[in-house]
């Protein structure tokens, strides 16, 4: 009994990257089953014309949540399950750079997903505006469903999870490689994850900006997205995120397929560096192609032509990767094991998906493709075909490593064959449904779409049910499969050099790479002491995510006028504050210490930057996009929405200048504190932090006065320009308040305990954060006050 | 050791800290003064919100004081239940008398017309005749898009004026609905704009 | 199997343009795809389990490769050439979409949304209003209809807008599609070439009635259309006269 409780505690409080990886894996498969069931439900509805299996409202809810759950809570988390488990091992590291943040990232993801699912149980139904949530359909006027609020909140929690995870992975990849491990030597999978997180860093803040504005609309009663032409700004924000998102889903799978092809044909990848370059080029280009989703919106033709060019250009790197992958097999000793079959299948469907994508790159061809089943077929070939097949292959590939047991090879191959046939039967007919609109819940018989849809439904069931074979196979093998070797595939990335399953810290000693070969230097005292440093369990990541979950659930239900919403919000707030307090307390006593000695790590090109500061740099790079999105919306509203007033008239310019001045001074004093902390001058550091806090507080007060004046002059949030600039100011204030909490805590810690642990570096990172907020306040002033 | 560098350093620190705290306090106080200060209401502003209802024109802030040559923005909202207007009236009493006597005359001459129909007819007259009169009267005194703004219930409009001559300008509503045969202005639906030299 | 011809080029001018380009893309895709697919299937079959090659890769060794730069460069060049040809062809077609009516009718395509009826000889300008869930078509003479009547062989310009949410106006068979966005007027054009009845449908999710936002476009011969247009207009005048 005690053992069982210990087990539960281990899974809830774990911060070990492999445990978190398993949690990701189980969660993503759980969401896969839910989203897949939704898909089967609406495939039944569509199988014959004029069917009434689902009502229009239920169909729309099913389609919307199928898209959201599959993309955000299944495909990416499945890729990141592997990334969590294997990227640190492939780098030769013992854990992620920030293990607790890693756990936090998982719990935020889980609770975000539960929030979205909770929407189904709210009276009035959940979101039904499609996963693209086009404005103004997503506003309260047109979608009053309270569940839609929960969907927006769930997505915001997901973005929080993604932001934390992104920073964590970037710092890990940059600073935790084993000594002597050069960047170019990393396995393709790690490269794929590297580019994925880079894209995530810049893509998700754009969605965050859009969703923040939407939340202001839906909760505070603003009408930003109901303003004339506001649908376009949603399009820009959404697709600036949405197109990179396709590659975010695709890259880990594609890279994994390349690794598997190389392993199972026992050949090195042909043109490996070119492939890495191609991935880099595609990642960079992915931000400049999004307007091909907007060919029919009537925006400027020359802008569309540029995006037509880039969209066609982005097919070049992918073409190169595909052909090189095929040539890599040439002359190999190919073993057609289950993972290899999935890898080849992934490439095979990716070719079709890629070619059909080129058809979408042209405004003339888009006249037929836009909003039709051609597009549905295309992106399912890419996201389901290429990404999912490769990831399922990865599941088979790494199963022996994760569990220490082999799965049944025959059943695996049967799974591949059935799912491959089912997949093509499901999606290939959709190419011929080029004139059938997406997301219609039924269609008249005279359209003649019946037979093809019926075929697709049959394929859908074959494809969906085929995965039961996999589940049965893997669940049985978990207990009864034959024991697996260290390296059953003869692969060469470093996870295959250690035990299956790996021990808690992966490597018993210090991993060092010499001439492309990993050797384990025998442990010296410094390293072993780190491992014996006790407790790695922390309840705070779980509680810190549970708090917002309860709070947002209450807030969403409050709009649905449920009685227990207020207590829920209260409990949520208390849990959150208690968890933050607990995290700070742990940090105060330095109970949780994990740092691999930097002298055993390859940290190029950030050799001399502390991991906390590097993480802060990456976070701020992403955050800049968030504020750019908000300010861009304000500019759009001022130019396009009509009858909005310039900031010069609505705001008091003097107060604005004063506020900027206060923020700048505050940031200067934080910098002084950081320098003083580095030199070890306690008095000066304390003085700097406290003065900075005082100035930041007065900044908040002065800005608050200014907004009070704006609202008392008769302006309300129904003015879209006021609402969008208020959202920007509010976001900035929330950033600042979070920073103030950390600053106050650090001042306390320095006062009582002096400069222990990595306090000086934390203060240094905080001063960076403060400088960023000062720059943002200048941007807010110049754009929303003067323009 | 009064002049050692250590002593100097902490003195300097105290001075800096005090001045920063003073600066922050002064900024907050100035912010409070600018937003809530009593005198603020008496100073020329560049934005006024006029809310129209039965039968008042309320301004926020009150009174309306404007500097010559500076553009001023008016946000006008009809919060009432009937149609209202804001128009610049050179001579309020004369205009109001004119409107109501015209209404009474129409009623006398056409006893079969209902009140609504009379108001409709007066509206037509008022729109054509008065608009020209007001344009003429305001010429050289102020620059703006229109000097007679009619708003349906719930409607709002934002417009800008630049006054060229100092003086007191009367704005009023000369609609008749609800107060027939008198105009709204006679019930007190007017306000004034005080234009001062810069 | 297809209720509409897979090749719609005889139905309208825009469909012709679309089909030419689609065919070109399809040809490139099929040729390249055939080569790639052949190698993708053949290579694993040919080299499957062949133990002839040396098992030169050992765990812990990251493979590298040299000396095949020329081979690689050829592949890259080939792909870039395919991309260039596609790009040139699509660039030409996009410009053609504009120049086709610019040359023949003298329409300035840069501000189609400001075009007034009567400005262009022989062109019919129809205002399309989308709403939840249906369409209103407004003709220059004031006739409002929920079925779209079009003349054969004549330039038709659609000025599309929406009253509430984001819709997409489309006559798929004639290859007409443009988004209907509240607060904005978008334009699209076509020249129908074959009398008949075609489906009009909304192509952007717009709420629970999305699937039923469906009506028909009737392409009439010139004289029949003129008769309909005139008689509807006169009927409208009659109604106004009475009121």
């Amino acid at each position: 009994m005690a053992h069982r409780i210990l087990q539960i505690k281990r899974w809830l409080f774990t911060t070990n990257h492999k445990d978190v990886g398993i949690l990701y894996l189980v969660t993503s498969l759980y969401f896969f089953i839910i989203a897949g069931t939704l898909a089967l439900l609406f495939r039944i509805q569509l199988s014959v014309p004029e069917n009434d299996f689902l009502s229009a409202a239920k169909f729309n809810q099913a389609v919307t949540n199928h898209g959201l759950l599959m993309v955000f809570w299944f495909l990416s988390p499945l890729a990141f399950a592997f990334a969590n488990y294997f990227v640190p091992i492939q780098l030769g590291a013992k854990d992620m750079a920030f293990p607790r943040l890693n756990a936090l990232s998982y719990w935020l993801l889980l609770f975000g997903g539960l929030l979205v699912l909770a929407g189904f149980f709210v009276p009035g139904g959940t979101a039904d505006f499609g996963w693209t949530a086009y404005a103004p359909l997503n506003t309260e006027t047109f979608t009053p469903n309270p569940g839609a609020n929960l969907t927006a909140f769930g997505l915001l929690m997901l973005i929080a999870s993604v932001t934390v995870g992104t920073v964590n992975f970037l710092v890990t990849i940059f600073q935790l490689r084993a000594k002597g491990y050069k960047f170019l030597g990393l396995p393709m999978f790690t490269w794929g994850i590297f580019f994925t997180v880079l894209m995530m860093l810049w893509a998700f803040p754009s969605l965050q900006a859009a969703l923040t504005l939407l939340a202001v609309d839906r909760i505070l009663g603003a009408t930003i997205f109901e303003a004339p032409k506001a649908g376009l700004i949603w399009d820009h924000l959404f697709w600036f995120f949405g197109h990179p998102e396709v590659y975010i889903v695709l890259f880990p799978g594609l890279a994994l397929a390349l690794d598997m092809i190389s392993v199972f044909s026992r050949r090195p990848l042909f043109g490996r560096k070119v492939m890495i370059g191609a991935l880099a080029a595609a990642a960079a280009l992915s931000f400049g192609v999004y307007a091909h989703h907007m060919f029919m919106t009537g925006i400027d033709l020359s802008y569309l032509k540029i995006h037509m060019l880039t969209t066609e250009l982005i097919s070049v790197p992918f073409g190169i990767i595909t052909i090189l992958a095929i040539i890599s097999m040439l002359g190999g000793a190919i073993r057609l094991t289950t993972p290899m079959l999935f890898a080849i299948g992934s490439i095979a469907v990716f070719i079709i998906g890629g070619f059909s994508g080129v058809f979408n790159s042209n405004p003339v061809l888009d006249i037929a493709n836009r909003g039709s089943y051609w597009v549905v077929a295309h992106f399912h070939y890419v996201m389901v075909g290429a990404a999912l097949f490769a990831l399922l292959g990865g599941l088979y590939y790494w199963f022996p490593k994760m569990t220490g047991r082999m799965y049944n090879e025959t059943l695996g191959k049967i799974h591949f064959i059935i799912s491959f046939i089912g997949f093509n039967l499901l999606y290939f007919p959709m190419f011929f449904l080029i004139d059938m609109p997406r997301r219609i819940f039924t269609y008249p018989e005279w359209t003649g779409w019946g037979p093809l849809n019926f075929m697709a439904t049959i394929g859908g069931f074959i494809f969906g049910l085929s995965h039961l074979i996999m589940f049965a196979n893997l669940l049985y093998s978990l207990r009864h499969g034959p024991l697996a070797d260290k390296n059953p595939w003869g692969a060469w990335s470093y996870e295959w050099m250690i035990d299956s399953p790996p021990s808690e810290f992966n490597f018993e000693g210090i991993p060092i790479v010499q001439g492309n070969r990993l050797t384990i230097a025998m442990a010296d005292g410094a390293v072993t002491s780190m491992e014996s440093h006790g407790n790695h369990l922390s309840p705070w990541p779980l509680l810190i995510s549970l708090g917002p979950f309860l709070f947002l659930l209450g807030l969403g239900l409050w709009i649905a006028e449920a009685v227990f919403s207020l207590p829920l919000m209260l409990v949520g707030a208390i849990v959150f504050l208690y968890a933050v307090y607990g995290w700070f307390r742990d940090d105060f006593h330095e109970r949780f210490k994990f740092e691999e000695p930097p002298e055993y790590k390859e940290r190029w090109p950030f050799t001399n930057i502390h991991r906390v500061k590097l993480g802060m740099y990456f976070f701020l790079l992403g955050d800049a996009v968030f504020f750019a999105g908000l300010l861009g919306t304000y500019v759009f509203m001022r130019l396009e929405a009509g009858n909005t007033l310039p900031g010069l008239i609505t705001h008091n310019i003097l107060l604005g200048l004063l506020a900027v001045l206060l923020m700048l001074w505050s940031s200067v004093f934080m910098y002084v504190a950081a320098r003083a902390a580095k030199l070890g001058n306690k008095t000066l550091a304390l003085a700097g932090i406290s003065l900075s806090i005082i100035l930041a507080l007065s900044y908040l007060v002065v800005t608050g006065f200014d907004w009070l004046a704006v609202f008392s002059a008769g302006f309300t949030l129904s003015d879209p320009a006021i609402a969008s600039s208020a959202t920007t100011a509010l976001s900035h204030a929330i950033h600042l308040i979070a920073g103030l909490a950390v600053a106050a805590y650090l001042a306390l810690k320095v006062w009582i305990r002096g400069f222990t642990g990595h306090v000086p570096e934390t203060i240094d990172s905080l001063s960076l954060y403060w400088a960023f907020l000062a720059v943002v306040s200048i941007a807010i002033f110049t754009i929303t006050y003067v323009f | 050791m009064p002049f050692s560098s250590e002593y100097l350093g902490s003195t300097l620190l105290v001075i800096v800290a005090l001045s920063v705290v003073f600066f922050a306090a002064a900024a907050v106080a100035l912010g409070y003064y600018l937003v809530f200060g009593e005198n603020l209401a008496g100073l020329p502003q560049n934005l006024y919100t006029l809310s129209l209802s039965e039968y008042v024109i309320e301004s926020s802030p009150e009174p309306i004081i404007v500097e010559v040559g500076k553009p001023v923005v008016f946000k006008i909202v009809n919060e009432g239940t009937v149609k209202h207007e804001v128009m610049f009236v050179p001579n309020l009493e004369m205009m109001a008398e004119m409107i109501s006597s015209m209404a009474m005359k129409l009623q006398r001459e056409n006893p079969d017309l209902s009140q609504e129909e009379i108001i409709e007819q007066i509206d037509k007259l008022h729109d054509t005749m008065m608009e020209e009169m007001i344009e003429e009267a305001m010429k050289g005194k102020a620059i703006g898009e229109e000097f007679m703004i009619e708003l349906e219930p719930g409607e709002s409009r934002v417009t800008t004026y630049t006054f060229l001559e100092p003086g007191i300008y009367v704005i009023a509503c000369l609609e008749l609905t609800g107060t027939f045969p008198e105009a709204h202005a006679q019930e007190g639906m007017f306000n004034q704009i005080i234009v001062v030299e810069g | 199997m297809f209720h509409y011809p897979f090749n719609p080029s005889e139905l309208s001018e825009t469909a012709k343009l679309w089909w030419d380009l689609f065919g070109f893309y399809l040809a490139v895709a099929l040729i390249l795809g055939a080569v790639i697919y052949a190698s993708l299937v053949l290579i694993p079959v040919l080299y499957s389990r062949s133990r002839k090659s040396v098992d030169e890769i050992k765990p812990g060794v990251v493979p590298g490769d040299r000396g095949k730069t020329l081979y690689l460069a050829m592949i890259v060049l080939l792909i870039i050439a395919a991309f260039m040809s596609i790009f040139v062809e699509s660039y030409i077609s996009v410009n053609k979409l504009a120049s086709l009516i610019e040359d023949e009718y003298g329409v300035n395509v840069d501000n189609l949304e400001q075009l007034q009826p009567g400005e262009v000889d022989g062109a019919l300008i129809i205002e399309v209003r989308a709403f939840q869930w249906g369409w209103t078509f407004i003709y220059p003479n004031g006739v409002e209809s929920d079925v779209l009547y079009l003349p054969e062989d004549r330039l038709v310009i659609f000025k599309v807008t929406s009253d509430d949410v984001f819709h997409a106006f489309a006559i798929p068979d004639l290859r007409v599609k443009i988004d209907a966005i509240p607060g904005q007027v978008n334009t699209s054009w076509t020249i129908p070439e074959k009398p008949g009845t075609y489906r009009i449908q909304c192509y952007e999710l717009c709420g629970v009635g999305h699937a039923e936002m469906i009506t028909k476009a009737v392409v009439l011969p010139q004289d029949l259309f003129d008769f309909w247009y005139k008689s509807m207009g006169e009927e409208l005048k009659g109604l106004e006269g009475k009121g």
Side-chain angles (χ1 to χ4, degrees), chain C residues 61-134:
Chain C
V61 179
V62 172
D65 51 69
R66 290 165 204 279
K68 293 175 180 170
T69 324
L70 197 69
Y71 200 13
L72 198 66
M74 265 167 58
I75 294 165
V76 173
L77 280 178
L78 202 74
I79 291 176
I80 288 178
F83 150 73
M84 283 308 288
S85 66
I86 283 187
F87 174 65
V88 169
E89 182 69 21
S90 57
Y91 194 84
I92 290 170
S93 71
V94 171
N95 285 339
K96 216 189 221 171
L97 189 68
S99 64
L100 216 66
I101 55 170
E102 222 165 11
D103 297 348
E104 280 185 31
Y105 289 84
V107 183
N108 182 6
V109 287
D110 288 334
N111 50 1
L112 270 181
E113 63 274 5
Q114 272 135 35
L115 204 64
Q116 292 305 316
E119 235 173 82
V120 181
D121 286 340
L124 178 68
I125 298 175
I126 300 174
E127 215 178 297
V128 180
R129 301 192 73 87
F131 56 90
Q132 276 181 328
W133 289 278

Side-chain angles (χ1 to χ4, degrees), chain A residues 266 334 348 362 370 435 516, chain C residues 37 49 55 60 90 177 203:
Chain A
R266 306 210 56 72
I334 296 171
N362 187 300
R370 153 105 174 80
D435 63 338
N516 287 338
Chain C
Y37 257 94
R49 288 195 194 87
D55 203 353
S90 57
K177 195 178 279 167
Y203 272 71

Side-chain angles (χ1 to χ4, degrees), chain A residues 385-399:
Chain A
L388 177 59
F389 275 139
L391 290 173
L392 290 182
L395 190 53
Y396 284 111
Y397 177 62
W398 276 319
F399 184 79

Side-chain angles (χ1 to χ4, degrees), chain A residues 439-453:
Chain A
R439 295 161 173 166
I440 50 170
F441 84 102
T442 189
Y443 49 93
E445 196 167 359
W446 52 260
T447 52
W449 298 328
L452 285 171
N453 269 304

